[in-house]
Amino acid sequence: MISVRELSFRYAGRADFALRGVSLAVKRGGFLGVAGASGAGKSTLLAALNGVVPHHYRGEFYGEVKVGGADTVETSLEELSKKAGYVGQDIESQLVTTSVEDEVLFGLENFGVPRGEIERRLTEALARVGIADLRDRELDSLSGGQKQKVAICAVIALMPEVLVLDEPTGELDPQSSRDLFALLAELNERSGITIVVAEQKTSLLCEFARELAVLRKGELTMQGPVRDILARGAELSAAGVAVPPAARLAARLTARGLYAGAAPVNLGEAETMVREAAA
């Protein structure tokens, strides 16, 4: 579904490359988490997946990015946005109308969805994201988490194959963050939408994503199943990524010969690990 080959990019007027020789792949229906310290290149990589880099943010672009078979350099932003829906960090800048209904309708109408299909898509998208009760609300009356869901709903209504999210929980409290990731997991599992999400809350990312890609100073240092990456705690720390507490505990217990399993990715697995170590 997503293929990135030797991608390097330097923003116009910048001395350093934001990305250097990045290659990765995401299968159709995959759920990839992207981790890395601030400035590691996460936002640039995600922007490249839907063509914002280099169509909007100009600069030196080398390598190849394909999404659903479409080359992001050769394909227009309009066509790419039908394949890869994008939700950025600044939700306020992405909301272009004043009400929930109008926000979802805006994309449907501007993408030329047949009039007879618009109402069905609107209703289904609101229901899938769990905000049908907000349909008639003004955006200014919503919480940060609700606005986040509206932005996702507007993208989902366009029926993209891929959903790309850049730091989606930055303005959310812990429960709202978990609710958002649960929504992403449901969209991934029930609808088969390929998910790529950059996130600083590593514990949350590791619980819901199936694979992790780790960036360090513009370079991809690791990509693989979450549990495999968690087993490389020292490398994660060196990349400026916070190793989840359960994974750190697993490493200590393993070093003492008290645990031989994989690193836990949720509370239930962590409890099982502790019981096993204490037995």
Side-chain angles (χ1 to χ4, degrees):
M1 172 53 68
I2 296 173
S3 173
V4 180
R5 296 172 55 188
E6 292 297 321
L7 171 62
S8 294
F9 183 74
R10 177 163 58 188
Y11 290 96
R14 298 286 183 86
D16 298 326
F17 276 85
L19 295 174
R20 292 189 292 273
V22 173
S23 295
L24 60 81
V26 185
K27 295 180 180 179
R28 184 179 299 275
F31 193 144
L32 176 71
V34 180
S38 178
K42 302 187 298 299
S43 294
T44 303
L45 174 60
L46 267 58
L49 297 183
N50 75 332
V52 174
V53 166
H55 289 289
H56 179 68
Y57 294 113
R58 301 290 183 174
E60 297 177 47
F61 185 104
Y62 304 97
E64 178 186 79
V65 179
K66 287 188 175 182
V67 178
D71 188 299
T72 59
V73 173
E74 299 175 355
T75 308
S76 69
L77 273 174
E78 180 178 353
E79 288 302 310
L80 287 171
S81 62
K82 295 177 183 178
K83 289 181 175 290
Y86 178 80
V87 180
Q89 296 182 43
D90 185 2
I91 293 300
E92 295 290 346
S93 69
Q94 292 184 246
L95 301 176
V96 296
T97 67
T98 59
S99 72
V100 173
E101 180 177 280
D102 287 346
E103 188 66 30
V104 182
L105 286 173
F106 181 84
L108 293 171
E109 293 171 347
N110 281 275
F111 275 84
V113 175
R115 184 170 297 276
E117 191 178 344
I118 286 180
E119 176 60 30
R120 179 184 64 81
R121 289 225 205 163
L122 169 63
T123 302
E124 288 183 357
L126 289 167
R128 288 170 73 187
V129 181
I131 56 171
D133 59 322
L134 302 180
R135 178 170 178 165
D136 298 322
R137 292 273 298 275
E138 294 295 308
L139 293 176
D140 286 344
S141 72
L142 303 182
S143 67
Q146 289 171 326
K147 289 180 180 178
Q148 189 80 261
K149 288 184 177 181
V150 172
I152 293 174
C153 182
V155 170
I156 292 300
L158 299 175
M159 300 175 65
E161 300 173 82
V162 179
L163 182 56
V164 179
L165 303 100
D166 188 10
E167 304 283 1
T169 71
E171 301 297 325
L172 304 183
D173 59 65
Q175 186 57 54
S176 296
S177 297
R178 174 167 291 280
D179 290 345
L180 175 60
F181 265 85
L183 168 62
L184 296 179
E186 182 176 358
L187 292 171
N188 175 249
E189 294 167 7
R190 293 192 178 184
S191 303
I193 297 175
T194 303
I195 305 289
V196 180
V197 55
E199 179 58 60
Q200 292 283 4
K201 299 172 184 175
T202 315
S203 294
L204 195 61
L205 191 62
C206 291
E207 180 175 350
F208 288 93
R210 290 197 292 279
E211 286 199 345
L212 282 183
V214 180
L215 292 172
R216 182 182 185 187
K217 296 180 179 179
E219 298 181 357
L220 181 69
T221 60
M222 293 180 275
Q223 183 189 3
V226 168
R227 296 180 196 279
D228 292 350
I229 301 301
L230 286 177
R232 301 164 66 177
E235 293 175 71
L236 280 172
S237 295
V241 177
V243 180
R248 296 200 304 269
L249 178 58
R252 291 197 293 269
L253 292 174
T254 299
R256 296 178 183 179
L258 299 174
Y259 180 67
V265 297
N266 56 49
L267 183 58
E269 292 182 1
E271 290 177 352
T272 299
M273 175 186 68
V274 172
R275 290 194 185 97
E276 180 180 327

